[in-house]
Amino acid sequence: MVIVEQDLYKLLDSCGKGNRTSQDRLYKEFYAYAMGVCLRYSRTREEAIEIVNDGFIKIFTNLHRYSRGLSFKGWLRKIMVNSAIDYFRKNEKHYNSLDISRGQYEITGASVLDQLAEEDIIAAIQRLPPSYRMVFNLYVIEGYKHEEIANQLNISEGTSKSNLAIARSKLQKILITEQADQLNRGQHGG
Amino acid sequence: MEDNTFDSEVKSKLENYEATGFDPTALASLHHQMATVSILPWYRNYRTELLVGSAFLFTILLIIWSQWLFTSRSATILEREIMSLRDQVQEFERLQTERQQTKSMNPDTLKYFDEQDKISSDEYLSLSSTIKRLETALQEVLVEQVKQKDVVGNQENNLASQDEEPLNQKTNLSFTKRISPHSVATESRRAIARNFPIDPASPERNLSTKAIRDIKKHYHKGLSIQVAPVFSLSKGFYNPGNGRFDLSVGLLGDFITSPSISLETGILYTQRHYSISSDLAQRNVLPGIDESLGELSNVDIDSWIYEMPVNIKYRYPISMKANWIAGLGYSTYLYTKQLIEYDYQYNQSASLNSAYTINRAKVYSGTLNLMLGFNSELKNKKILETSIYYQQGLGKMGIEETIPTFVGLRGAYWFQVK
């Protein structure tokens, strides 16, 4: 569903005035996109929904801060990422499944990523420990610098770099395993 | 695969990924969450802007109202001024018309004035010529008298001839300075004043004490206050013991109630020193004596003292700017510290010292003060005062418990405060 700019502004005005129907409509309109962002930052779909809802509440209460003319999607994405960071900070103390294994795995060809669907890659990212997942997403997908990541997550730049390297290595391992599994399933199935 | 390549591959795949399928439970969860969060009404988001806007609008209205008020008042004032000007113009026109009418009339009063002037002038000239004639006659008579005295040949006339001065100047006759009515009329007041030069000798020098006092009393209003830094050099006399000359510094205030009487008070700081060597009978009262060190031969006592005098000063004026001064008063003493140094004679040849310090502050009964001095007003209106003073102890002072007497010389430089 593609919404035109004028309709979007009307919808935003209505949402700003607290119209529940309009808010629902906006939610449904951008749910898929918001979930696409938040799934990468969460371990499960439920967690992602929680982050998405937190993000939408922020959107509804801060709609007046949105500057017309700029991309609403970009603004929404930024809010979702910030919600994910807040969620991580809030639940950081509960994350105790830190995996410190540092086995080096390397994907030797582009074919592995090509053969995997987006959902598979997201599932692989979700399997990363939370701190690695956060650093990987922020650095690789959002384009944050290590200094910014360190500030956002209250860690040092060195930790951020280290986490990224480990996350990358682990993700590659998971993706290779996933691809191998898929091949096996295909062979057995074929 | 390199890290960068891997990263960009992942990014390209996930950057714009949108999750498939809408979960109605997610929306229900949102509703549930929103029910717990109170969302502010839309206008609350513009609270600051609304406040600023309201204040701005209020200010604008206030300015407009004040402008309107000022303009309407100005218009009323202007209207009144215009009316007043119109009245003035009408009055001016009326006066101009009257002037024209007066000009066109025959001036019948001029003759009267001419007659008046003429009659007056004739009488005046007649009177003037009579006075002149009488003056000339009088002068001739007087000159004749002087000539007769010359014939007798007294000493004064000889001197008068040597000076070759005009006769009328030397003899100082009153008629020589007589001025005719004409000349008086022509000279101005300033010219008359020049004939009576002021005596250069200051009359103030010849004024009596009573006159000076009366003048000062006349100009004295209320309480005058002066302050002065004070320096004094004094010698203490102790029994037993010998004092030395000690310097005191301080600040005094003089509260002048009348030209003759004033009350002086303030604070002076002194470090006094004296030694007891001859009569050590009082040594028993001194603390810290150690007989085991030898026979006590000398005691030096240094005292850090603050003196607070209260003196009544009497001024006897010599001139408007100088006075003799006599003072009587009382001083209280605050001893802040005392250092007692003992010299002991040991084995007839060697000597040992010991010291005892008292850091306890104590106030002592003080001294009766007598003072005689002189003060003089300087060109800069400050007053320099010099005095000798005598202070008689009224009770025992210091840890040594002696009754001291001080004699000294004091200098003060007074500034007028009030």
Side-chain angles (χ1 to χ4, degrees), chain A residues 16 23-24 27 31-32 53-54 64 73 77 106-107 109-110 113 116 118-119 121-122 125 140-141 168, chain B residues 1 3 6-7 9 11 13-15 17-23 26-27 29-31 33-34 42 45:
Chain A
Q23 286 174 350
D24 287 356
Y27 183 84
Y31 172 83
N53 287 353
D54 285 345
H64 61 280
K73 257 190 169 180
R77 184 191 186 94
E106 195 175 332
I107 293 172
L113 284 170
L116 289 169
E118 286 89 344
E119 286 80 5
I121 300 170
I122 286 171
I125 291 170
V140 175
I141 317 287
R168 206 181 268 135
Chain B
M1 189 189 290
D3 289 345
F6 177 73
D7 291 350
E9 286 279 337
K11 188 177 179 180
K13 277 222 151 192
L14 301 181
E15 195 172 23
Y17 170 74
E18 291 189 11
T20 50
F22 176 72
D23 190 351
L27 186 59
S29 174
L30 178 74
H31 287 164
Q33 266 184 274
M34 283 180 73
W42 65 273
N45 298 323

Side-chain angles (χ1 to χ4, degrees), chain A residues 80-92:
Chain A
M80 292 300 160
V81 171
N82 286 338
S83 295
I85 292 169
D86 288 345
Y87 188 87
F88 170 76
R89 282 190 196 140
K90 200 162 64 182
N91 297 287
E92 192 177 15

Side-chain angles (χ1 to χ4, degrees), chain A residues 90-109:
Chain A
K90 200 162 64 182
N91 297 287
E92 192 177 15
K93 57 191 171 199
H94 303 302
Y95 298 141
N96 52 8
S97 57
L98 183 64
D99 187 350
I100 54 167
S101 63
R102 300 201 54 177
Q104 289 291 315
Y105 294 90
E106 195 175 332
I107 293 172
T108 50

